[in-house]
Structure formats: C-alpha cells, structure tokens
Amino acid sequence: MARNVESQFLRPNSSLPKNIFTLFILLTVFLLLSCREKEETNKVSVDKHQEVTSQLPAITYAYLPEYPQPESFQRHHLLVEYLAEQTGLPVQQVFPDTFADHISMFGQGKIDISFSNPFLYVKLANRFGAKAMARIVAKDERAEIRGLIIARKDNRAIQSLDDCRGKSWLAVDPSSAGGYLFPLGHFVDHGLNLRDFKEVKFTGGSQEGVIRGVISGNHDFGTIRENSLKGIENKIDIEQIKVVAHTIWYPGWVYSYNPRLSKDVVDKIQVAMLKLDYQNNPQHRAVLDAARFIGIIPSTDEDFDRVRDLSKKVGLDLE
C-alpha cells in the first residue's frame, strides 16, 4: 500500500505537481509586475526631479554692503518683492559681506543686479562689463551725491581743509565714492595728496563707523557720503559733528546689470523700476520709503565718465 501511495506522488499526471506548477507561474507573473511597477515609480520620481531642476534660476539682487545684512534686507526687500511681482521673474536678494565681496561675486556671476555707488560701478564696468540702467533720486530730490569731510565739533585743530594735513583720516572703503574717492579728489584739487596725511584707515564699508570713529577721537577727521548723517541721526548724536568741507556733485547711486542677463530680462526689470511712482501710488511710496529714495530714472554708462576721469586724476586703479 505504501508503495502505491509513493508511486502516486511521483506520477507526472498527479494533480499536486500541477498545482505547484500553477503556483510557480502565478508567483513569476506577480514578481514581473512588481518590478515593472517599481520601474514606473522610479521613472515618475526622476521626472519630478527634472521638473524642479528645470525651473528658472533666481535673478540675484545685491545692495552694496554699507549696512549690516538685516538693515540691507529691511531697506530693499519690498523693492525685490515688487520687481518679482512686476516682471514674473524669481528675484532674490543676496548679501555680500564687504565691498570687495560685492565686486568678486559680480565677477563670478553671483550678482545679476547690482545697486552700488558710482565708483564701484565703474570698477564693475571696466572689469566685468557691467552696464548701467538706472540711477536713484534721493530724498533731497537729487540724482547726484557728494562727499563730506567731517571732524568733531570741538576739535579746534581742524577748522579748514588745509588743517587736515598731517592728520589721521578715517574713510569708508577704498571703493567708496562719497566716503573716499570724491574727498580724495577734493583734497588733490586743493594741493593735498595721500602722502600728506599721517595715515588713512578704512572702516570696511561702514559710513556709521566713520562717524563713530571721529566722535570717539580715534581719528582726526573722516569722510562720508553727505546723506549718511541723516541716516544715523536716530542712533548717534550728530550734533557732535562739524562739516569741514563738501566735495562737488557727481552722478549718484546706480543700478547696473551683469552682461550674462538677456535683454528681455533686463528690459523687464528696467521697466518695472521706472514705473515706480512716489507721488501718486501709495504702494510704490511704501517700497521707495523703505529703500530711502523717492524715484528711479534712466541711466547709461556715459553718465559715469566724470567718475572715471576723477579716478585717473587721483591715481586710483579701476582694473
């Protein structure tokens, strides 16, 4: 009897092996379908990744770092948001740490739209092909700026420009316009050269740092952009400061663009800037008030030839 049972299990026409074979086929089909579904899932995942990476890169906007990053953000984030809304472009503010960083980042293509003083602009133009597209109109209703030579009000040793000879000079930055280049030109026009000063020190880009350095008595006199005094009157007692001299007026702060930007992008940004209406649009007024100016006007590279000429006259390198 046992042999008959064994022989039944070994016969090829037994029903049990057929069931096993059927089960094997079903498992094989299931595994193939699972692999196919997994491959299709992976393909969807890749497609989603490609969609993300194909989005337009942000247009980077940088304000020359005269102030700490939080203040730079507060002054310009409404303007950046306005430009993004008006142009439909992804505009993002970036924050160089120093004037030198601003120049370097522009050259590396990390800054697309630069808001800078005119001296730094001509450096960007000469070195990297930056193009001016607009200038601002300041609160005093001028599109020009000038430098101030300042000292402590109670410093009787400095009453005139010539009294600065042999004294310690605190300036903003070697790339500062109102805080260095313009005053240097003013000194040269009045017979004083760099060798005529005891020393020239820089604050690393801070207008406020110059004012504080002069008030502290650590330096005999300093040089700043004129409207810097009004910008810090809620922080420092500016009544302690006297103005020794003003420079002449030069073209003011400028918006320039990186040559890697397309004409279409530049045109959209420029049109949006020039549309800002301080007088008749309350929303625009809020944007401009935050940025500390009242308007934006068209500008071209030729507007800054006077700055180039001054740089050559005083021997400052633009390359």
Side-chain angles (χ1 to χ4, degrees), residues 44-99:
V44 171
S45 176
V46 171
D47 290 342
K48 288 180 178 177
H49 175 71
Q50 289 174 342
E51 289 174 3
V52 170
T53 56
S54 65
Q55 291 178 353
L56 279 173
I59 306 299
T60 51
Y61 172 114
Y63 175 17
L64 188 68
E66 287 192 305
Y67 303 98
Q69 289 185 7
E71 186 166 353
S72 293
F73 173 79
Q74 288 299 326
R75 287 187 176 220
H76 283 252
H77 80 279
L78 291 180
L79 181 54
V80 170
E81 291 171 5
Y82 164 82
L83 292 174
E85 179 183 346
Q86 289 291 310
T87 64
L89 298 168
V91 185
Q92 175 185 352
Q93 189 174 0
V94 295
F95 302 92
D97 290 324
T98 64
F99 284 37

Side-chain angles (χ1 to χ4, degrees), residues 37-183:
E37 289 175 0
K38 186 175 181 180
E39 289 176 0
E40 290 176 352
T41 301
N42 288 340
K43 288 179 181 178
V44 171
S45 176
V46 171
D47 290 342
K48 288 180 178 177
H49 175 71
Q50 289 174 342
E51 289 174 3
V52 170
T53 56
S54 65
Q55 291 178 353
L56 279 173
I59 306 299
T60 51
Y61 172 114
Y63 175 17
L64 188 68
E66 287 192 305
Y67 303 98
Q69 289 185 7
E71 186 166 353
S72 293
F73 173 79
Q74 288 299 326
R75 287 187 176 220
H76 283 252
H77 80 279
L78 291 180
L79 181 54
V80 170
E81 291 171 5
Y82 164 82
L83 292 174
E85 179 183 346
Q86 289 291 310
T87 64
L89 298 168
V91 185
Q92 175 185 352
Q93 189 174 0
V94 295
F95 302 92
D97 290 324
T98 64
F99 284 37
D101 285 341
H102 191 105
I103 295 171
S104 176
M105 288 174 66
F106 190 95
Q108 294 169 13
K110 296 178 181 178
I111 295 174
D112 296 314
I113 304 298
S114 166
F115 180 55
S116 74
N117 71 55
F119 183 33
L120 191 132
Y121 162 68
V122 296
K123 288 187 175 184
L124 296 180
N126 281 26
R127 297 180 188 182
F128 307 118
K131 296 295 182 184
M133 63 177 173
R135 280 190 288 153
I136 66 163
V137 180
K139 292 283 189 177
D140 61 2
E141 300 185 355
R142 300 191 68 117
E144 298 81 27
I145 60 174
R146 63 181 178 178
L148 299 182
I149 299 163
I150 62 172
R152 276 181 62 111
K153 184 174 287 186
D154 59 3
N155 185 347
R156 296 183 179 180
I158 298 183
Q159 301 292 334
S160 67
L161 203 63
D162 197 61
D163 291 335
C164 296
R165 189 185 304 271
K167 303 296 194 303
S168 172
W169 174 7
L170 183 60
V172 175
D173 187 273
S175 293
S176 177
Y180 182 56
L181 172 64
F182 300 166

Side-chain angles (χ1 to χ4, degrees), residues 9-300:
F9 278 106
L10 294 174
R11 285 199 298 268
N13 60 352
S14 168
S15 62
L16 188 58
K18 289 181 179 179
N19 290 338
I20 294 173
F21 181 76
T22 301
L23 182 60
F24 174 78
I25 294 298
L26 290 173
L27 286 170
T28 302
V29 171
F30 176 78
L31 289 171
L32 288 172
L33 289 174
S34 296
C35 291
R36 183 176 178 181
E37 289 175 0
K38 186 175 181 180
E39 289 176 0
E40 290 176 352
T41 301
N42 288 340
K43 288 179 181 178
V44 171
S45 176
V46 171
D47 290 342
K48 288 180 178 177
H49 175 71
Q50 289 174 342
E51 289 174 3
V52 170
T53 56
S54 65
Q55 291 178 353
L56 279 173
I59 306 299
T60 51
Y61 172 114
Y63 175 17
L64 188 68
E66 287 192 305
Y67 303 98
Q69 289 185 7
E71 186 166 353
S72 293
F73 173 79
Q74 288 299 326
R75 287 187 176 220
H76 283 252
H77 80 279
L78 291 180
L79 181 54
V80 170
E81 291 171 5
Y82 164 82
L83 292 174
E85 179 183 346
Q86 289 291 310
T87 64
L89 298 168
V91 185
Q92 175 185 352
Q93 189 174 0
V94 295
F95 302 92
D97 290 324
T98 64
F99 284 37
D101 285 341
H102 191 105
I103 295 171
S104 176
M105 288 174 66
F106 190 95
Q108 294 169 13
K110 296 178 181 178
I111 295 174
D112 296 314
I113 304 298
S114 166
F115 180 55
S116 74
N117 71 55
F119 183 33
L120 191 132
Y121 162 68
V122 296
K123 288 187 175 184
L124 296 180
N126 281 26
R127 297 180 188 182
F128 307 118
K131 296 295 182 184
M133 63 177 173
R135 280 190 288 153
I136 66 163
V137 180
K139 292 283 189 177
D140 61 2
E141 300 185 355
R142 300 191 68 117
E144 298 81 27
I145 60 174
R146 63 181 178 178
L148 299 182
I149 299 163
I150 62 172
R152 276 181 62 111
K153 184 174 287 186
D154 59 3
N155 185 347
R156 296 183 179 180
I158 298 183
Q159 301 292 334
S160 67
L161 203 63
D162 197 61
D163 291 335
C164 296
R165 189 185 304 271
K167 303 296 194 303
S168 172
W169 174 7
L170 183 60
V172 175
D173 187 273
S175 293
S176 177
Y180 182 56
L181 172 64
F182 300 166
L184 177 58
H186 195 68
F187 279 126
V188 169
D189 287 342
H190 290 80
L192 283 82
N193 295 286
L194 283 175
R195 64 178 177 273
D196 294 317
F197 302 106
K198 178 182 177 181
E199 62 178 359
V200 181
K201 297 289 186 180
F202 299 95
T203 64
S206 172
Q207 304 273 346
E208 181 179 329
V210 172
I211 299 166
R212 290 187 182 277
V214 170
I215 290 176
S216 71
N218 292 330
H219 298 273
D220 298 310
F221 71 93
T223 52
I224 57 173
R225 188 178 71 249
E226 181 169 25
N227 58 11
S228 297
L229 283 174
K230 292 182 179 179
I232 52 87
E233 59 189 354
N234 60 336
K235 300 180 184 179
I236 302 173
D237 179 14
I238 61 173
E239 291 301 315
Q240 299 182 67
I241 292 293
K242 65 181 175 184
V243 176
V244 179
H246 300 81
T247 74
I248 63 173
W249 294 96
Y250 292 90
W253 277 59
V254 54
Y255 278 104
S256 62
Y257 62 89
N258 199 302
R260 77 185 188 93
L261 288 186
S262 69
K263 184 178 185 302
D264 178 60
V265 168
V266 173
D267 288 346
K268 286 181 179 179
I269 292 172
Q270 185 181 42
V271 167
M273 286 181 171
L274 299 180
K275 279 174 59 177
L276 284 164
D277 185 349
Y278 189 82
Q279 296 298 329
N280 303 307
N281 189 315
Q283 292 180 330
H284 292 183
R285 180 184 286 250
V287 170
L288 292 168
D289 276 339
R292 309 293 200 277
F293 43 86
I294 62 171
I296 299 179
I297 61 174
S299 189
T300 64

Side-chain angles (χ1 to χ4, degrees), residues 290-318:
R292 309 293 200 277
F293 43 86
I294 62 171
I296 299 179
I297 61 174
S299 189
T300 64
D301 183 74
E302 288 75 17
D303 293 338
F304 302 91
D305 284 345
R306 289 177 58 212
V307 179
R308 291 186 173 92
D309 293 342
L310 176 61
S311 303
K312 293 176 183 176
K313 181 174 75 172
V314 300
L316 295 184
D317 186 17
L318 295 177

